[in-house]
Amino acid sequence: MDTPSMRATIGSFAFPAVTALISVVLFGLMFPQTIPVTLAAISFLASIGALVVAWLRARRDAAFSRDISEVLTKLAKQLGHGLSAFASGDMRYRLRKPETNATTAEAEALAKRLLSCIDDFNSITNVPLKRVCFVGANAYQEGRVSGEYIGKLLGGKGKVAYFIPLHTQINHVLRMKGCHDYLSENYPLIVNLPVAETYSIPETCARLALEHIALHPDLDVIYVTDGYSPSAAGRAIEASGNRHVKIFAYDTSPQNIALLKSGTFCGLIEQNPYIQAHNALIHLYNACETGWVSLSRKLFMDPILIDATNYRTYWDDAKDARAMRDEELALLAKPEPSKSGKRYRLGVIMPTTDGFFVTLVDGLKAAQRELEKRNVEIEIANAWENEHNFGSASRFVPLIDSFVKRGFDGFALTVIDADIMPAINAAVDAGLKVTTFS
């Protein structure tokens, strides 16, 4: 079939091929005359080089055409079908992902965006999570607050890189999308680079930061959606002597605050993990004891934007620790009196108890002290094994099953891997109460 792309490919070969043929003829006619032969040889080699370049370009064009027809077009059709089904009232429509992966860089970057949209759609039409409530941050809104700050910082022009742990970690993807969407909508002159995965490994984050700086000398901001890995990137940037590139990240920790003071970090989003974990556990007990039900299934907390101008409001320099304001302490949930006299057994599953999660554990232990006065037994399980299965269903589901088998009354946890949700629903069906937090 004759198509414009085929004609263009044939045309790209025609000129260097004809030139090479003419060079061979001239070479034969002029041999052994030195200068004409040399010129003919140079012309021949140049023609061969042009043929190689044309061949490589043709291969790339062919690969890109396959990506469009076999990957991107299928992804777009899936999204189109899904939107039509959703608009017609089918709330359980599931989108399928193509079995073929993109092979060219341009197509792969676009495919990742479309695949992320498919994940978002499937999360909407997924079987609802049967939890009592969620306590924590609105990840997408956190991203938009970050984008607003970065856009103003850059004065509407610049280049931004995006680092997330994994595309499978929903909250981090939503943070990335919130920032990316805000900048795309409001600052068209800001260039958004493709998203890179750090796996929440500090060394990987540092390596990617230096690679991005080398590849993009005009890079202005690296937006990192977690609080554990970016401090390593900040130290690597400082060691390189680069004073231009800034990092915007998450969570107040001694390492992150130090880099905020030095100017390597331009801003942080704080989500008050102490209150999140504390309230999730208190709400769990209240649901067991009184049948408490939240007015909203998602109890969102406003993102707190912290930079060099206001960090002392939220950080105690003398203690090198997070400072809780009175208005924050007023948000702490209160346990109901124990009128039933029942001894409840409640569990908590943590993906880890180090770094940022120390503050979550502090909130849990504060709630634990209050609940022990009401004859409540609390078991905090640490699901950590390594960075590669952080928060994974393979670590969480066995712990959930254990709570069910041992007759627990409920548990609280953070949902990082969407594959955990069926196990949560099965536990609720078995009679347990569940609350979740960021």
Side-chain angles (χ1 to χ4, degrees):
M1 182 175 63
D2 185 25
T3 65
S5 61
M6 290 176 62
R7 290 195 295 271
T9 301
I10 293 170
S12 66
F13 278 104
F15 179 75
V18 170
T19 304
L21 180 61
I22 293 173
S23 299
V24 172
V25 172
L26 290 174
F27 184 85
L29 292 174
M30 296 176 181
F31 187 83
Q33 301 178 52
T34 305
I35 294 177
V37 167
T38 301
L39 292 174
I42 293 172
S43 176
F44 175 73
L45 292 174
S47 301
I48 294 299
L51 275 172
V52 172
V53 170
W55 177 72
L56 292 173
R57 184 181 295 116
R59 281 191 61 187
R60 181 190 170 284
D61 290 347
F64 188 64
S65 295
R66 284 195 301 272
D67 286 343
I68 290 175
S69 62
E70 298 178 11
V71 181
L72 300 181
T73 299
K74 291 181 179 179
L75 286 170
K77 286 181 177 179
Q78 276 290 302
L79 286 168
H81 294 160
L83 289 173
S84 298
F86 193 75
S88 67
D90 184 354
M91 301 301 178
R92 291 292 174 265
Y93 193 89
R94 303 287 295 171
L95 300 183
R96 301 185 308 276
K97 298 179 181 180
E99 297 178 357
T100 306
N101 296 322
T103 57
T104 57
E106 297 88 347
E108 183 181 20
L110 182 54
K112 281 186 175 181
R113 293 288 293 175
L114 294 174
L115 286 167
S116 183
C117 291
I118 284 179
D119 288 336
D120 283 350
F121 182 93
N122 286 341
S123 70
I124 295 171
T125 62
N126 208 344
V127 176
L129 192 58
K130 299 177 182 179
R131 62 191 172 203
V132 174
C133 67
F134 163 84
V135 184
N138 183 329
Y140 188 77
Q141 184 61 29
E142 287 181 321
R144 292 189 69 85
V145 171
S146 306
E148 182 179 6
Y149 183 86
I150 292 170
K152 291 178 180 177
L153 178 72
L154 298 182
K157 294 187 295 183
K159 185 173 286 187
V160 179
Y162 296 84
F163 289 6
I164 66 174
L166 287 167
H167 276 91
T168 56
Q169 294 186 3
I170 301 168
N171 57 323
H172 290 284
V173 172
L174 288 173
R175 286 174 174 177
M176 176 273 293
K177 285 185 175 181
C179 182
H180 188 285
D181 289 351
Y182 187 91
L183 292 177
S184 299
E185 294 164 9
N186 297 281
Y187 295 103
L189 297 181
I190 290 180
V191 177
N192 296 296
L193 296 177
V195 180
E197 294 180 321
T198 67
Y199 302 94
S200 284
I201 299 175
E203 294 78 11
T204 302
C205 190
R207 174 178 58 79
L208 286 171
L210 296 179
E211 288 177 358
H212 275 66
I213 291 171
L215 191 60
H216 304 279
D218 56 345
L219 180 62
D220 296 294
V221 174
I222 300 175
Y223 175 63
V224 188
T225 64
D226 74 277
Y228 175 63
S229 67
S231 59
R235 291 191 296 270
I237 291 173
E238 287 186 344
S240 73
N242 188 303
R243 302 300 299 173
H244 175 71
V245 175
K246 305 298 180 185
I247 293 177
F248 190 102
Y250 281 75
D251 307 331
T252 51
S253 66
Q255 297 85 353
N256 290 351
I257 291 294
L259 290 161
L260 187 70
K261 293 178 184 179
S262 72
T264 301
F265 279 19
C266 60
L268 295 166
I269 293 290
E270 164 67 17
Q271 53 180 313
N272 207 325
Y274 182 98
I275 292 180
Q276 289 182 40
H278 176 279
N279 286 6
L281 190 50
I282 296 296
H283 290 326
L284 178 63
Y285 161 76
N286 288 340
C288 291
E289 173 63 19
T290 69
W292 175 86
V293 177
S294 171
L295 293 176
S296 171
R297 298 294 294 276
K298 293 185 177 182
L299 303 177
F300 285 136
M301 304 175 69
D302 293 333
I304 301 173
L305 176 63
I306 297 177
D307 63 10
T309 67
N310 72 343
Y311 84 90
R312 288 182 180 86
T313 304
Y314 305 96
W315 191 260
D316 187 329
D317 275 331
K319 297 180 179 179
D320 202 22
R322 175 75 155 87
M324 296 283 286
R325 299 172 298 153
D326 290 341
E327 52 265 45
E328 291 180 294
L329 293 173
L331 298 174
L332 290 171
K334 302 295 190 294
E336 296 292 335
S338 177
K339 295 182 179 180
S340 69
K342 180 178 178 179
R343 177 173 175 78
Y344 293 102
R345 300 178 70 195
L346 305 178
V348 181
I349 305 177
M350 294 289 294
T352 182
T353 55
D354 295 330
F356 156 77
F357 296 89
V358 169
T359 310
L360 285 165
V361 173
D362 289 343
L364 290 172
K365 289 184 176 179
Q368 182 178 19
R369 288 191 293 271
E370 293 184 57
L371 294 177
E372 284 176 345
K373 299 174 185 176
R374 290 159 173 78
N375 198 30
V376 178
E377 177 187 342
I378 308 293
E379 179 179 315
I380 301 175
N382 184 357
W384 171 260
E385 185 179 48
N386 57 58
E387 295 93 344
H388 300 287
N389 61 5
F390 173 82
S392 70
S394 65
R395 301 293 299 167
F396 272 56
V397 172
L399 292 170
I400 293 172
D401 292 342
S402 172
F403 290 150
V404 174
K405 291 175 181 177
R406 290 186 286 152
F408 274 53
D409 298 287
F411 56 91
L413 76 167
T414 177
V415 179
I416 296 172
D417 183 349
D419 289 338
I420 297 169
M421 294 193 289
I424 293 176
N425 287 348
V428 173
D429 291 339
L432 282 72
K433 303 285 187 184
V434 178
T435 58
T436 61
F437 52 96
S438 286

